[in-house]
Amino acid sequence: MRAVVRDEYGPVDVLRVAAVGDPEPGPGEAVVRVAVASLNMADLDHLLGRPRLARIGTGLVRPAHRRVGIDVAGTVEAVGPDVAGLRPGDRVWADLFEHGHGALADRVRASASALSPLPDGVPFDVAATVPHSGSLALQGLRAAGRLRPGERVLVNGAGGCVGPFAVQIAKARGAVVTAVDHGGKLDFLRELGADDVVDHTREDVTRGDRRWDVVLDIADTRSVPALRRTLAPGGRYVLIARRIGSFAEKALFGPVVGRLTGTRMGVFAWRANQRADLAELAGLLTAGDVVPRIDGRYDLADAVEAFRRLESGAARGKILVVP
């Protein structure tokens, strides 16, 4: 079979499509025939080995996992011993972030516990966009506390992989949403349902007069004092961190600043691949409250070009890779 592999950390050029052996499921494992996979910024981070501190878990010098890709939707092809609740032919979806990666392939072997049933009403193309980015958006908003109808929500960095889900989930809960990204994505953000859009190259939301009840920070570019200025009295700020230094700053100083100013600021403990979250996201998908945007579809043979598109930052929606 074919799989996208790499032998070292590095830029997109280290990737290649190779012929590898067909996977065989071991105890507690299943083999999934991949229908569709999608790319996330986490895939690019994993490829580059960033942040460097994360290499403690992924391989200090060389990557522990040669395969790449975390979001997958497909059909169970075989199950190993001691697997209950799964059988060949079942439709499944998963985030393989904690299960060896490898979604960019004709087939992938994974722990059966990583695979969740995919409702018949959710097409594979749609399902593949959701497990990683959708769960991050859902958990980030949940960490801010229950959204009340009419609350003002700022999504900073709304035009990437996670932001479009956050905008739509917040809208589905009755929030008034302001979405921030660069000017080339403003029309895209309006199409997602954002009530207001901000071009961060022209306007700094931390220096204006507007305040929000909830700030979900995906861009992760500003300090605690600057972000505090965006919060209304009693407001809540949550970071989806990509940088170790920023995570430490918000985790250590955010709660202190929050207590002093009558707000709440901090980070949250993301938990990958939660079945309850995927079930909730499936409900939002089938109700039409969340409609994933797809920037483009690439054949597995063109996976390197798919990564280049992701790396460019120009994608409007998720990038699919199809075996």
Side-chain angles (χ1 to χ4, degrees):
M1 72 167 199
R2 301 170 302 160
V4 179
V5 301
R6 49 81 180 268
D7 298 313
E8 59 187 322
Y9 293 117
V12 174
D13 293 334
V14 306
L15 292 171
R16 69 184 191 279
V17 180
V20 300
D22 289 336
E24 294 290 338
E29 294 180 333
V31 171
V32 175
R33 177 173 288 277
V34 178
V36 188
S38 78
L39 298 186
N40 299 273
M41 288 306 297
D43 292 302
L44 189 59
D45 291 339
H46 181 63
L47 178 65
L48 295 167
R50 67 185 186 194
R52 285 188 174 271
L53 189 61
R55 296 188 186 188
I56 294 173
T58 64
L60 290 175
V61 178
R62 291 185 179 275
H65 303 301
R66 295 179 65 229
R67 308 280 179 89
V68 295
I70 55 177
D71 272 347
V72 63
T75 305
V76 174
E77 191 169 83
V79 297
D82 304 322
V83 172
L86 278 181
R87 59 186 180 183
D90 285 351
R91 288 161 41 92
V92 293
W93 55 344
D95 173 357
L96 301 179
F97 186 84
E98 296 179 341
H99 297 274
H101 299 239
L104 300 188
D106 292 316
R107 299 177 186 84
V108 63
R109 183 181 65 195
S111 169
S113 64
L115 305 173
S116 294
L118 176 62
D120 290 338
V122 181
F124 285 129
D125 277 12
V126 171
T129 70
V130 174
H132 188 79
S133 294
S135 293
L136 272 171
L138 183 69
Q139 292 181 28
L141 289 170
R142 183 186 297 143
R146 186 175 66 86
L147 281 181
R148 294 179 289 275
E151 283 200 305
R152 298 158 296 174
V153 173
L154 176 72
V155 180
N156 188 31
C161 295
V162 178
F165 289 102
V167 169
Q168 293 183 81
I169 293 169
K171 285 295 299 177
R173 293 176 177 173
V176 178
V177 178
T178 299
V180 181
D181 214 291
H182 64 73
K185 292 194 173 182
L186 299 190
D187 288 342
F188 171 60
L189 297 175
R190 292 187 185 98
E191 292 169 5
L192 293 172
D195 299 282
D196 189 21
V197 295
V198 176
D199 179 354
H200 71 78
T201 69
R202 294 179 175 271
E203 178 182 347
D204 183 350
V205 294
T206 70
R207 295 190 175 278
D209 296 328
R210 291 191 290 174
R211 301 290 182 267
W212 289 270
D213 302 300
V214 172
V215 174
L216 183 65
D217 187 9
I218 305 165
D220 187 15
T221 57
R222 305 306 300 272
S223 67
V224 167
L227 292 161
R228 163 63 193 94
R229 295 194 294 266
T230 65
L231 292 176
R236 297 99 74 193
Y237 166 89
V238 175
L239 171 71
I240 295 179
R242 294 186 62 220
R243 298 181 295 118
I244 296 295
S246 180
F247 177 89
E249 179 204 9
K250 271 73 173 186
L252 292 172
F253 300 115
V256 176
V257 172
R259 283 194 295 271
L260 293 174
T261 59
T263 60
R264 198 172 81 210
M265 303 186 72
V267 299
F268 71 100
W270 170 62
R271 300 177 64 198
N273 214 36
Q274 299 298 296
R275 289 196 173 194
D277 288 345
L278 289 177
E280 184 173 349
L281 288 162
L284 290 166
L285 294 170
T286 55
D289 291 327
V290 171
V291 180
R293 272 32 177 204
I294 296 171
D295 179 77
R297 294 168 57 97
Y298 293 78
D299 187 88
L300 185 64
D302 299 319
V304 172
E305 293 308 310
F307 266 91
R308 293 194 197 283
R309 177 65 174 171
L310 175 69
E311 188 178 40
S312 75
R316 299 185 178 195
K318 294 296 293 290
I319 297 168
L320 302 183
V321 179
V322 184

